[in-house]
Amino acid sequence: MLDLPNNNNHISSHRPVWRGINTGKFFIGLLILIVGICYLGESFGLTTINVGYIFQHFWSILLIFLGLSMLSRASRLMTVLGLLITAVVLIGLFYIATNDSAFPELKRLENIEVVALPGVTKAHIRIDSQAAALKIAGDPSLTIPNDFTTADRLLTGTFQSAEMNLKTTSNLTEQTQNILLNTRDQSGQFGWQYFGKNIGNFSLKLTEKWPVELEINSAAADINLDLADVLVTLVVIKSSASNIMINLGNLEPKIVINIQSKASVVTLRVPTDVGVDLKFSTSISSKTLPDFVLVSDGRYESRNFKQVKKRAFITLDSPVTNLDIIWK
């Protein structure tokens, strides 16, 4: 007897089989896309979402979607349930990241104000921090007493961070007011604070009344010092910054700048009536210095150095990739 083909088996083999949607993989792919957009937006200053902080406190959500990736293909019901959970979680994370009332420490902002102590004639300001960005400028309003005190203010500003607390100390030694801005990681978890770019941002205003010495010990990616209206006499930078911009004025007859950094780009804006002495302890890839003459090995002087009365002595003790000097 001949065996006839089973038409039922033939038909069933061509039926579409429900394979479901892997919501776990869908979420992870979507999450990577969102994180990339957040970092891109932060690079252009369009968003300040602290992605690192969200991962630090909500990493367990990944376990939920790992489980969903294993169950979502089981049935249509599990797929629909997985998509609903995905939508709820994404809406919750969006609310946390954009709403100031939800986890306000995400956008925690500390105000900084240091009042001049009696007898002060000079200020030494030191910043010890792992802040991601540091911006300093002069402010003429600091020489005008505010509504709460009759004393002048040496320094004001803000510090923004979700991972670090700021400690400010001030004391007077021989008419020099020593100010220390020190930050420390409050999470107690090594490494998380470096995941998000926005780990800490300083924005400071300095007095224009007294001479200032500035010492920066920071891993800031960007350091922007607008010192055109500040009586600055000394600037020391120890940092792994990728970009350092210093805008000088001509208020003091002498300013000393020492940069110890692995910065890729250093930009100096110098008034035309200020002479510059440049000293390199290591070679740099870009030594296009048309307005300078070689004095000795690794040392250059601007062509106006001998004729002017105000001078800046700058030492680059670092493997700087590019140095750009702009006369203004």
Side-chain angles (χ1 to χ4, degrees):
M1 179 180 294
L2 296 175
D3 293 332
L4 297 176
N6 192 330
N7 292 332
N8 291 333
N9 292 338
H10 178 72
I11 296 174
S12 61
S13 63
H14 287 80
R15 288 179 180 175
V17 178
W18 171 254
R19 297 184 181 277
I21 300 174
N22 194 323
T23 53
K25 289 184 177 179
F26 170 77
F27 171 79
I28 292 175
L30 187 61
L31 185 64
I32 293 174
L33 179 63
I34 293 174
V35 169
I37 292 175
C38 288
Y39 277 120
L40 183 63
E42 189 176 29
S43 299
F44 288 94
L46 302 177
T47 178
T48 57
I49 296 176
N50 196 322
V51 180
Y53 182 88
I54 294 176
F55 269 102
Q56 177 182 342
H57 293 274
F58 301 98
W59 63 269
S60 56
I61 293 176
L62 295 176
L63 298 179
I64 297 175
F65 288 96
L66 180 61
L68 286 175
S69 67
M70 299 177 181
L71 298 175
S72 60
R73 290 175 179 264
S75 65
R76 287 183 173 85
L77 178 62
M78 290 304 302
T79 298
V80 173
L81 180 62
L83 291 174
L84 288 176
I85 295 176
T86 300
V88 171
V89 171
L90 290 176
I91 292 173
L93 291 177
F94 179 79
Y95 174 78
I96 292 171
T98 58
N99 195 306
D100 290 336
S101 62
F103 297 91
E105 60 270 24
L106 282 172
K107 300 178 178 64
R108 182 168 54 86
L109 194 68
E110 297 186 43
N111 292 318
I112 305 170
E113 179 175 284
V114 179
V115 177
L117 298 176
V120 62
T121 60
K122 183 175 67 173
H124 181 92
I125 302 172
R126 178 176 175 178
I127 301 172
D128 286 336
S129 175
Q130 299 297 318
L134 174 61
K135 183 178 181 180
I136 297 178
D139 187 355
S141 67
L142 295 188
T143 61
I144 303 175
N146 58 22
D147 297 334
F148 305 101
T149 177
T150 58
D152 292 326
R153 293 167 292 167
L154 281 174
L155 180 151
T156 63
T158 58
F159 174 68
Q160 182 181 25
S161 176
E163 293 87 5
M164 293 181 291
N165 287 324
L166 173 65
K167 181 179 180 181
T168 304
T169 59
S170 177
N171 60 75
L172 191 67
T173 304
E174 298 180 351
Q175 297 183 312
T176 298
Q177 186 163 343
N178 299 293
I179 302 169
L180 173 62
L181 303 179
N182 185 30
T183 63
R184 62 180 179 85
D185 176 26
Q186 66 175 350
S187 67
Q189 300 184 36
F190 178 79
W192 277 109
Q193 67 269 28
Y194 300 103
F195 187 81
K197 179 182 177 182
N198 192 28
I199 61 174
N201 294 319
F202 273 105
S203 180
L204 304 176
K205 296 287 187 179
L206 304 185
T207 180
E208 298 182 3
K209 183 175 182 179
W210 291 284
V212 173
E213 296 177 348
L214 190 59
E215 183 179 353
I216 299 172
N217 185 9
S218 173
D222 294 293
I223 296 178
N224 189 327
L225 308 181
D226 186 358
L227 307 176
D229 299 318
V230 180
L231 299 173
V232 61
T233 59
L234 175 67
V235 177
V236 177
I237 299 176
K238 298 178 181 179
S239 173
S240 57
S242 57
N243 293 286
I244 296 177
M245 198 288 289
I246 303 177
N247 183 32
L248 297 178
N250 58 358
L251 304 180
E252 286 294 290
K254 179 181 178 180
I255 177 174
V256 177
I257 300 176
N258 190 315
I259 300 176
Q260 303 175 35
S261 171
K262 296 180 180 179
S264 57
V265 178
V266 174
T267 303
L268 300 172
R269 297 179 61 88
V270 185
T272 54
D273 56 349
V274 174
V276 177
D277 181 293
L278 272 176
K279 183 180 179 181
F280 303 102
S281 61
T282 58
S283 61
I284 61 174
S285 60
S286 178
K287 281 189 179 178
T288 306
L289 302 172
D291 299 316
F292 288 79
V293 294
L294 180 64
V295 176
S296 61
D297 186 22
R299 183 185 169 194
Y300 297 79
E301 286 183 355
S302 60
R303 298 185 184 277
N304 65 343
F305 189 80
K306 296 291 194 300
Q307 291 78 35
V308 296
K309 295 181 178 180
K310 297 180 180 181
R311 297 168 178 173
F313 295 84
I314 302 172
T315 301
L316 294 176
D317 188 11
S318 58
V320 177
T321 303
N322 186 72
L323 173 65
D324 189 13
I325 298 179
I326 303 172
W327 299 96
K328 58 177 183 176

